[in-house]
Amino acid sequence: MSTVVNPTSSGLERDARRIHDDKPISAGNIAIGVIIGRMSEFFDFFVYGLGSVLVFPKLIFPFAPNPVAATLMSFAIFPLAFLARPVGSFIFMWIDRNYGRGTKLTIALFILGGSTASIAFLPGYDTIGYWAVALLALFRLGQGFALGGAWDGLASLLNINAPANQRGWYAMIPQLGAPIGFALASTLFAYFVTNLSEEDFLSWGWRYPFFVAFAINVVALFARLRIVASREFGAAMEAQELEARPVFEMLSKHAQDVVLGAFAPLASFAMFHLVTIFPLSWVILNGGQSAAQFLWVQVAGAAFGVVGIVLSGVIADRIGRRSQLMIGAILIAVFSFSAPFLLDAGGKGQDAFILIGFFILGLTFGQASGAVSSRFTKYYRYTGAALTSDLAWLVGAAFAPLVALGLASSFGIIFIGGYLISGAICTLVALSLTRVLDHSNEPGQSE
């Protein structure tokens, strides 16, 4: 009786590791691979996010009674990716266990790049009616589903190879992909918005950034597969530190850590889209400066974010990650009192909002990945960190543009300050609970 064997990439990965056994990969090369991988993911999501402000309200929702309603409708599609992401993690963990990490990453990144590139071919509402809305929602779900499968464990590999006194520094490296991805997406849109008429931009110019996403994902795939085929990755797999575990098995051991891990970085994640996607919508709807000018300001803001992320690594290694995250949450709470007034103060105030906001975001976001993964035992860290990250983004960031614009347009811009404060409070409570639990000798790996 013959036995059916699943085709898997695991054997090819082991062969590749043997071939490169005499060529160890440095922590620097791992860091570059991690940054490229994260940058590609954030680029896809930011291209969509910027399109949800600059394009979709007019192209997909022209039937809305006013521009604010059209933008709110566009933002209602935005969270679908974050809702689909945990589903993708669940299914791709199964693919990982049965068909190998390389197979999983190849499928996930082709779906991610394909979903983003498919939006570039999307006809408007005037051409196909409500099917345009349905297709946009489908492709957005595809982005989120694929991102759940793009979790590669490389950030954990970087952490494993980090010196004990530099964990904060190495934890911040994957986070650099966010501002770099945002800066690239914003630069592309700013170029087309600046150099094209509104008619040409809405007709064809906006489509180019979505085309670029597929090429970037192909480059990111090869960068990731190179590391997956390394001796260091194989050693971590053999030590069971980067293996995918069944989700429900992990939850039976770490459900409490998943919940705390999802809320610990909430201040940072709540602020994430309030300095990237939401302010662009506010400026377009309420004035202060042109969209092209503001996009270039946001590119400058991304540079401030990079500085903040790098500093977060230095500070975390000196005072501890928990203390650094608590200070960051307090800074966000303080910023929340001035943020509404800056956004409503014309061009200069809006510029200050972006530059200050991005810097504070960098200080807090820089250690967010460490906060998510630090409480899990090595055996469950890969799966636990993936699911926790999914939930943290869902709770903290998915609905931020929709909620912020809804509150600001209905009750006044002052209410976005309350939104930021609520995120800061959740972070401070979650971090305080982890301290209490750790002092009670509960299982956990927090720092």
Side-chain angles (χ1 to χ4, degrees), residues 47-328:
V47 163
Y48 181 92
L50 294 173
S52 70
V53 178
L54 296 168
V55 180
F56 304 145
K58 295 178 180 178
L59 184 75
I60 308 298
F61 302 100
F63 54 85
N66 55 64
V68 172
T71 306
L72 287 171
M73 290 179 184
S74 179
F75 283 167
I77 304 292
F78 186 85
L80 293 181
F82 298 92
L83 292 168
R85 185 172 169 174
V87 178
S89 289
F90 185 86
I91 292 175
F92 277 103
M93 286 292 174
W94 179 85
I95 293 175
D96 193 331
R97 294 195 304 274
N98 290 277
Y99 297 96
R101 185 69 46 87
T103 300
K104 167 195 164 179
L105 289 175
T106 302
I107 294 172
L109 289 181
F110 269 93
I111 294 176
L112 179 59
S115 297
T116 307
S118 295
I119 297 174
F121 298 94
L122 189 65
Y125 175 84
D126 292 339
T127 303
I128 59 173
Y130 287 106
W131 281 108
V133 180
L135 288 173
L136 181 65
L138 176 65
F139 296 143
R140 183 59 173 163
L141 287 169
Q143 280 189 316
F145 177 78
L147 189 60
W151 189 266
D152 49 24
L154 297 186
S156 295
L157 180 65
L158 193 61
N159 186 60
I160 291 168
N161 286 273
N165 62 342
Q166 290 185 291
R167 292 293 171 84
W169 178 262
Y170 279 80
M172 71 84 186
I173 290 175
Q175 308 303 81
L176 291 171
I180 294 173
F182 178 74
L184 181 56
S186 297
T187 299
L188 284 171
F189 271 107
Y191 174 80
F192 288 108
V193 170
T194 301
N195 292 283
L196 296 177
S197 66
E198 183 177 11
E199 182 181 358
D200 285 341
F201 175 74
L202 290 174
S203 175
W204 55 270
W206 70 271
R207 301 179 188 274
Y208 279 87
F210 287 85
F211 283 130
V212 171
F214 194 85
I216 288 178
N217 276 282
V218 171
V219 173
L221 174 61
F222 282 105
R224 292 181 181 201
L225 292 179
R226 167 67 182 92
I227 300 175
V228 168
S230 68
R231 181 177 68 185
E232 289 77 7
F233 195 94
M237 290 287 286
E238 290 172 7
Q240 298 185 330
E241 293 186 27
L242 293 179
E243 286 192 8
R245 304 296 174 191
V247 172
F248 291 112
E249 178 186 329
M250 181 276 298
L251 288 174
S252 69
K253 306 290 185 181
H254 285 286
Q256 177 178 265
D257 297 322
V258 168
V259 174
L260 288 175
F263 280 90
L266 200 64
S268 172
F269 286 11
M271 191 168 178
F272 195 83
H273 288 134
L274 292 190
V275 298
T276 54
I277 306 304
F278 165 72
L280 179 60
S281 70
W282 185 258
V283 167
I284 289 175
L285 293 170
N286 296 277
Q289 56 188 303
S290 69
Q293 289 174 317
F294 194 69
L295 283 167
W296 290 118
V297 172
Q298 289 194 297
V299 172
F304 277 65
V306 169
V307 174
I309 289 173
V310 172
L311 282 177
S312 79
V314 176
I315 296 170
D317 284 331
R318 294 197 174 188
I319 67 174
R321 181 180 294 133
R322 182 192 281 118
S323 298
Q324 196 271 340
L325 286 169
M326 295 186 83
I327 291 173

